[in-house]
Amino acid sequence: MSEDREVTIYDIAKYLNVSAATVSRGLKNNPMISKTTRKKITEAAKTLGYQSNTFASSLRSRHTHTLGALVPRLNSHFMSSVLAGMENAANRHGYNLIIAQSLEDVEKEKRNAATMFNKRVDGLLISLSYNTQDIHHLEPFFKRKIPVVFFDRIYLHEESTSVGINNFEAAYNITRHLIEQGCQRIMHLGGNLLRNVYQERLNGYRQALHDHHLPVSEKLYLTSTLSEQAGAEAARYILDLPPGERPDAVFSANDTAAVYCMLALKSAGLRIPEDIAFAGFNNDPISRVIEPNLTTMDYSGDSIGNTAATYLINHLKGISNLYTTDAITLRADMVIRASSLKKKLRK
Amino acid sequence: MSEDREVTIYDIAKYLNVSAATVSRGLKNNPMISKTTRKKITEAAKTLGYQSNTFASSLRSRHTHTLGALVPRLNSHFMSSVLAGMENAANRHGYNLIIAQSLEDVEKEKRNAATMFNKRVDGLLISLSYNTQDIHHLEPFFKRKIPVVFFDRIYLHEESTSVGINNFEAAYNITRHLIEQGCQRIMHLGGNLLRNVYQERLNGYRQALHDHHLPVSEKLYLTSTLSEQAGAEAARYILDLPPGERPDAVFSANDTAAVYCMLALKSAGLRIPEDIAFAGFNNDPISRVIEPNLTTMDYSGDSIGNTAATYLINHLKGISNLYTTDAITLRADMVIRASSLKKKLRK
DNA sequence: GATATTTACGCAACCGATTGCGAAAAAGTG
DNA sequence: CACTTTTTCGCAATCGGTTGCGTAAATATC
């Protein structure tokens, strides 16, 4: 239909007998330009079918209106909710989202970080991979003052903010709940302690035991990747214990491991929660399908993503300052379901 | 530490006493440049800490090495797997992925498509929203010969390719399986017929009934959003039917609706599969948690994403031509689980 | 050794928007 | 009406690679 050449501000300028500079300013509603010409410009842009060229713009202005999101893997219920929340916030503020996954591998995380830096993202949202030890690979961002926001699996760093929940408290509460249900030998299925979330959950669990005068036994603590397989293996571990040493409850650091552990124990004939109570973490869809339904911690990935992205954007827009905020803690709610309700059964 | 100015090809040029053009070509391994200078250039780039500026590059060369992925919503098991596959393929070939979600809303889909076009993505990967009627909003892409690949929820268009599975066959097979298990009154829970996937599954279901001389009753067909709620509502619908008219099997177009329908029927006292057999679609994690485990269709979101992205990239690289391929069909496997096994029980 | 061919590289004009600075035009002041 | 202040806009230099075309140097041909 039309020419193959794209419509540029020069075309608009010629069309209106003004300069390209005026058009550029007019399109961005620069008050330096009178309202009448501004209106003319936007109208002309519409009639000519103008589309701004983001490269030219980014090349000169040095910002891209693009945020980078770097996640361990994007196909989990939690993470895809987080990304959905981020996409939403970004979209609402006229930002784009570039997404990359580290697949739990530091090396890929490093490469992805480099790519994002190279793509000149205006800000970075990151949740660390399973085995990331340090964050040297984020130095380029800090040096160039490109804001970095950690979420979920965070790393304390004075030039950045983190968004997450109070894992210690959550784990403490859920452990206490199990104790209040009469459980005495509570096992914990934890993740890699390099990641704050798992370390804090372990701490909360231990503190709760301690505060209720229960012993902390190394035999009742397993570290794993918290995968389906890990859950099943935990079940085998439990079944292999001498009956007297078996836990009467399991608090898993995620729902997946909890559910697959439950399934294995159930098929071995154990009754839940009578023989062994269960609590997970995340409120995954599977927690509402397993029978009995799994007690778990509910916290919205969507709002974590939303908050992190919004905060980053506000910083970019100068509305708030990221460097003065250390951490943003969102609420997490315990969802008590049948898997941990021993008390009611006894009544 | 170093200057705030970025290192450009001009710096490298000065450093090596060659022209910027030579550096530009050398960095891209252009054979026009001798191997010796090419090596010198790459080395100098490394020592100087050169980072290419993608805008400048994109501005001139007119491609961005960025793919746009436009999905209904990214927080489902299937879709996040697809995106994971895409990200993987893109990353492997040096492409980036911009992701946006329509939240099942045409209007947002249109806006997102416009943004992606504006961001000059090199290609578009799209799965249509629930109620998209036509694809006028993709015209800009077709006009500019920007390749478009549909996946899952596709739209036949001669200037694009689609990647998915044979939904008709899959539905046919799963329905036949239920028939072979002795089911006579098979109900179908379907989605919006605007979307090919649901239309084809309905067709396959009907064809299977027809081929086995079973009547096709409108009473045994419900359309919905296939959400958790829709599943529960389907259960109520079934329970409200006079006992003689109740289905003895349900084939749901997704696992979510199937599972929540099962849960509701179970708590109403129906036995699965004895009273009513079940089959779903997607092989979601919940299908392996529900008891009895749900018979379903397994097809890899990961490989759909991978295939779609790889195909798009190959087209961009000139390795294959997208316009000559109409559709790519990936395999889908029926996973038979206890929810549909009536026969074995009778033996 | 003169000519034809190939190889290797430089020149300079882009790509399209942004922005500091200066100047003309409009509005305000006495 | 002359003069100052404010508004409104244009000039032109960027931003950093890319690429068509031309030419010098290297190699081949007879």
Side-chain angles (χ1 to χ4, degrees), chain B residues 26-330:
Chain B
L27 285 172
K28 292 196 310 176
N29 271 319
N30 188 321
M32 188 195 274
I33 306 299
S34 76
K35 290 207 171 183
T36 37
T37 36
R38 253 189 279 170
K39 194 173 297 173
K40 272 195 232 166
I41 288 171
T42 34
E43 280 168 7
K46 202 162 293 175
T47 57
L48 294 182
Y50 169 77
Q51 300 256 40
S52 93
N53 186 317
T54 42
F55 315 133
S57 167
S58 296
L59 175 58
R60 185 61 222 251
S61 68
R62 271 142 159 47
H63 39 66
T64 58
H65 287 278
T66 298
L67 304 182
L70 193 38
V71 304
R73 47 176 17 109
L74 48 79
N75 53 341
S76 81
H77 172 73
F78 172 70
M79 200 50 83
S80 56
S81 303
V82 170
L83 291 173
M86 287 179 177
E87 194 275 344
N88 228 299
N91 200 290
R92 199 166 45 240
H93 292 93
Y95 278 77
N96 285 101
L97 203 60
I98 293 186
I99 297 177
Q101 52 185 346
S102 64
L103 298 175
E104 304 286 13
D105 174 23
V106 210
E107 294 310 319
K108 194 154 186 263
E109 182 173 294
K110 286 180 185 172
R111 286 202 302 277
N112 285 336
T115 310
M116 300 236 159
F117 182 75
N118 206 269
K119 280 265 174 176
R120 311 291 201 281
V121 294
D122 283 353
L124 184 68
L125 297 150
I126 182 170
S127 184
L128 297 174
S129 88
Y130 205 68
N131 51 359
T132 299
Q133 299 262 3
D134 56 64
I135 54 170
H136 286 332
H137 48 302
L138 301 185
E139 272 308 315
F141 292 89
F142 297 128
K143 257 188 195 155
R144 281 228 180 275
K145 300 284 180 208
I146 297 170
V148 175
V149 171
F150 291 92
F151 62 93
D152 195 46
R153 296 174 176 185
I154 65 176
Y155 193 102
L156 291 180
H157 187 279
E158 54 179 10
E159 291 181 57
S160 68
T161 300
S162 57
V163 177
I165 60 167
N166 188 329
N167 286 285
F168 177 88
E169 192 179 291
Y172 186 96
N173 289 340
I174 215 160
T175 307
R176 185 178 57 194
H177 162 71
L178 290 171
I179 296 171
E180 287 169 355
Q181 291 294 315
C183 302
Q184 300 276 334
R185 298 182 52 75
I186 302 171
M187 177 163 200
H188 179 49
L189 305 183
N192 189 335
L193 297 185
L194 269 178
R195 296 284 71 80
N196 67 304
V197 291
Y198 302 122
Q199 177 69 62
E200 291 164 13
R201 287 172 201 174
L202 174 61
N203 292 346
Y205 155 78
R206 286 193 171 147
Q207 187 65 45
L209 292 187
H210 181 263
D211 288 357
H212 292 82
H213 316 296
L214 290 176
V216 173
S217 160
E218 282 307 316
K219 281 200 172 176
L220 294 180
Y221 169 56
L222 288 181
T223 320
S224 72
T225 59
L226 298 171
S227 63
E228 297 181 3
Q229 222 178 2
E233 281 165 11
R236 205 170 314 146
Y237 174 84
I238 291 170
L239 292 170
D240 285 348
L241 286 174
E245 293 182 20
R246 280 192 193 160
D248 55 5
V250 172
F251 162 41
S252 168
N254 82 5
D255 285 346
T256 303
V259 162
Y260 279 84
C261 186
M262 285 169 79
L263 286 172
L265 292 182
K266 278 171 69 178
S267 68
L270 294 200
R271 293 165 309 161
I272 299 167
E274 293 84 343
D275 297 329
I276 185 164
F278 262 87
F281 214 102
N282 275 12
N283 198 16
D284 265 7
I286 50 171
S287 71
R288 284 180 299 140
V289 171
I290 183 81
E291 292 176 271
N293 279 191
L294 180 62
T295 290
T296 188
M297 285 304 297
D298 176 59
Y299 57 108
S300 159
D302 195 87
S303 57
I304 287 185
N306 221 307
T307 306
T310 304
Y311 204 73
L312 188 54
I313 293 167
N314 282 343
H315 173 89
L316 291 171
K317 290 189 172 175
I319 296 173
S320 62
N321 189 335
L322 188 137
Y323 300 124
T324 61
T325 312
D326 205 44
I328 297 176
T329 306
L330 299 182

Side-chain angles (χ1 to χ4, degrees), chain A residues 55-248:
Chain A
F55 314 134
S57 166
S58 297
L59 175 58
R60 185 63 223 254
S61 68
R62 270 143 160 46
H63 38 67
T64 57
H65 287 277
T66 299
L67 305 181
L70 192 38
V71 304
R73 48 174 18 108
L74 49 80
N75 54 340
S76 80
H77 171 73
F78 172 70
M79 200 51 82
S80 57
S81 303
V82 171
L83 291 173
M86 287 179 177
E87 194 276 342
N88 228 298
N91 198 289
R92 198 166 47 240
H93 292 92
Y95 278 76
N96 285 100
L97 202 61
I98 293 186
I99 297 178
Q101 51 185 347
S102 64
L103 297 176
E104 303 287 13
D105 174 22
V106 209
E107 294 310 318
K108 195 157 186 259
E109 182 173 294
K110 287 180 185 172
R111 286 203 301 280
N112 285 336
T115 310
M116 301 237 158
F117 182 75
N118 206 270
K119 280 264 173 177
R120 310 292 198 283
V121 294
D122 284 352
L124 183 69
L125 297 151
I126 182 170
S127 183
L128 297 174
S129 89
Y130 205 68
N131 51 359
T132 299
Q133 300 262 3
D134 55 64
I135 54 170
H136 287 331
H137 48 300
L138 301 184
E139 272 308 315
F141 291 90
F142 297 127
K143 258 189 195 152
R144 281 228 181 277
K145 301 282 179 208
I146 296 170
V148 175
V149 171
F150 291 92
F151 62 94
D152 195 46
R153 296 176 178 184
I154 65 176
Y155 192 102
L156 291 180
H157 187 280
E158 55 179 11
E159 292 181 56
S160 67
T161 300
S162 56
V163 177
I165 61 167
N166 188 331
N167 286 284
F168 177 87
E169 191 178 293
Y172 186 96
N173 289 341
I174 215 161
T175 308
R176 184 178 55 195
H177 162 70
L178 290 171
I179 295 170
E180 287 169 355
Q181 291 294 315
C183 302
Q184 301 275 335
R185 298 181 53 75
I186 302 171
M187 177 163 198
H188 179 50
L189 306 184
N192 189 336
L193 297 185
L194 269 177
R195 296 285 68 83
N196 67 303
V197 290
Y198 303 122
Q199 177 69 64
E200 292 164 12
R201 288 172 200 173
L202 174 62
N203 292 346
Y205 154 80
R206 287 193 169 149
Q207 188 65 45
L209 292 187
H210 181 262
D211 289 356
H212 293 81
H213 314 296
L214 290 176
V216 173
S217 160
E218 282 307 314
K219 282 200 171 175
L220 294 180
Y221 169 58
L222 288 181
T223 320
S224 70
T225 58
L226 298 170
S227 63
E228 299 180 2
Q229 223 179 2
E233 281 164 12
R236 206 170 314 146
Y237 174 85
I238 291 170
L239 293 170
D240 285 349
L241 286 175
E245 294 184 19
R246 281 191 193 161
D248 55 6

Side-chain angles (χ1 to χ4, degrees), chain A residues 18-19 21-22 25 32-34 37 60 62:
Chain A
V18 295
S19 76
T22 303
R25 294 190 173 105
M32 188 195 277
I33 306 299
S34 74
T37 38
R60 185 63 223 254
R62 270 143 160 46

Side-chain angles (χ1 to χ4, degrees), chain A residues 280-295:
Chain A
F281 214 103
N282 276 12
N283 199 16
D284 265 7
I286 50 171
S287 70
R288 283 181 298 139
V289 171
I290 183 80
E291 292 176 271
N293 278 191
L294 181 62
T295 290

